[in-house]
């Protein structure tokens, strides 16, 4: 609740900018009607705007849940699925900066999954990454900062030409080549629950 209150105070000050003022009443109504039930926040008058701390988090959770359902369905066909979270360095919470960072992240991941030496293609028969899916998100992280990150699923088939499984360090190095603002990678093998 304290975290949400701090977000609300900051956001209300930020929305005094002429370009954002039209959203102020919607977000104010949404954030002032938040109630907590079993540690779950619900807004009686949800605004649905993506930069609202409450509605943005709800949308991100729904998309992540759908992403995991997709992984679950894929799991039946491929038993080696890795779930990655790629984070970038925080940026100032301004629409232009956020848009630029999301485009950079999307472009970098596209280059990674099309041109990496580990991706199997018609030219590269030895590649081990056979498929991928991604979702790019930006969340407000306080102190006028936004954090853009991506959830990436990779399906792997077989071992690299050196006879070993693709390692986290290899993926990390490839991502650093394509994403200038790359900060961290978390990767784990997806297991059906």
């Amino acid at each position: 609740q304290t975290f949400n209150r701090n977000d609300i105070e900051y956001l209300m000050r930020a929305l005094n900018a002429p370009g954002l003022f039209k959203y102020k009443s919607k977000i104010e109504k949404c954030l002032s009607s938040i109630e907590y039930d079993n540690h779950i926040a619900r807004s009686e008058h949800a605004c649905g705007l993506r930069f609202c701390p409450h509605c943005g988090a709800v949308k991100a959770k729904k998309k992540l849940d759908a992403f995991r359902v997709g992984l679950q369905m894929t799991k039946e066909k491929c038993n080696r699925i890795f779930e990655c979270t790629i984070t970038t360095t925080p940026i100032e919470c301004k629409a232009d900066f956020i848009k630029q960072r999301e485009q950079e992240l999307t472009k970098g991941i596209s280059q990674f999954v099309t041109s990496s030496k580990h991706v199997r293609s018609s030219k590269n028969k030895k590649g081990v990454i056979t498929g991928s899916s991604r979702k790019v998100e930006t969340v407000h992280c306080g102190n006028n900062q936004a954090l853009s990150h991506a959830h990436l699923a990779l399906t792997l088939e077989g071992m690299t030409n050196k006879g070993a499984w693709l390692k986290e360090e290899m993926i990390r190095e490839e991502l650093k080549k394509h994403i200038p603002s790359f900060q961290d990678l978390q990767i784990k093998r997806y297991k059906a629950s």
Side-chain angles (χ1 to χ4, degrees):
Q1 289 177 339
T2 305
F3 184 70
N4 273 349
R5 239 180 263 121
N6 292 342
D7 277 351
I8 291 166
E9 289 169 10
Y10 166 75
L11 196 59
M12 289 304 111
R13 286 193 306 271
L15 288 173
N16 286 325
L20 298 173
F21 192 75
K22 61 185 175 183
Y23 302 114
K24 186 171 182 172
S25 62
K26 279 185 178 182
I27 292 180
E28 204 167 32
K29 190 174 183 181
C30 172
L31 296 177
S32 64
S33 67
I34 291 177
E35 295 176 358
Y36 295 87
D37 182 27
N38 289 335
H39 304 290
I40 297 172
R42 287 190 173 81
S43 177
E44 192 176 319
H45 304 287
C47 61
L49 298 170
R50 73 178 218 168
F51 50 85
C52 168
H54 172 71
C55 295
V58 169
K59 284 183 175 184
K61 184 184 180 318
K62 282 182 183 175
K63 288 179 180 177
L64 190 57
D65 288 346
F67 183 72
R68 287 199 168 112
V69 167
L71 283 178
Q72 180 68 35
M73 293 170 74
T74 309
K75 181 77 174 163
E76 296 166 9
K77 296 180 182 177
C78 177
N79 64 0
R80 291 187 196 98
I81 300 174
F82 289 83
E83 190 176 353
C84 310
T85 302
I86 303 162
T87 55
T88 60
T89 52
I91 53 171
E92 191 176 347
C93 195
K94 289 189 176 178
D96 293 343
F97 294 158
I98 292 170
K99 184 177 180 182
Q100 183 181 2
R101 180 58 57 86
E102 286 180 349
Q103 288 173 346
E104 175 192 304
L105 189 53
T106 301
K107 183 179 176 185
I109 293 172
S110 294
Q111 289 173 343
F112 165 68
V113 297
T114 55
S115 65
S116 168
K117 62 183 177 182
H118 303 298
V119 175
R120 186 174 297 179
S121 64
S122 54
K123 291 180 183 176
N124 180 17
K125 305 289 186 191
K126 295 178 181 176
V128 295
I129 299 174
T130 56
S132 65
S133 177
R134 69 176 174 264
K135 174 67 182 122
V136 175
E137 297 175 350
T138 300
V139 293
H140 180 259
C141 57
N143 297 331
N144 196 25
Q145 297 277 300
L147 182 67
S148 294
H149 62 283
H151 298 283
L152 175 69
L154 298 173
T155 56
L156 305 182
E157 194 175 297
M159 298 185 177
T160 62
N161 56 0
K162 294 181 181 175
W165 286 105
L166 188 61
K167 299 208 174 14
E168 182 177 342
E169 297 79 35
M170 296 173 179
I171 295 172
R172 187 181 295 270
E173 288 305 314
E174 286 291 316
L175 287 169
K176 280 182 184 176
K177 288 180 193 174
H178 301 292
I179 304 170
S181 59
F182 177 86
Q183 183 178 25
D184 193 24
L185 170 71
Q186 294 175 348
I187 188 168
K188 65 179 180 178
R189 185 169 178 178
Y190 178 76
K191 294 180 181 174
S193 58

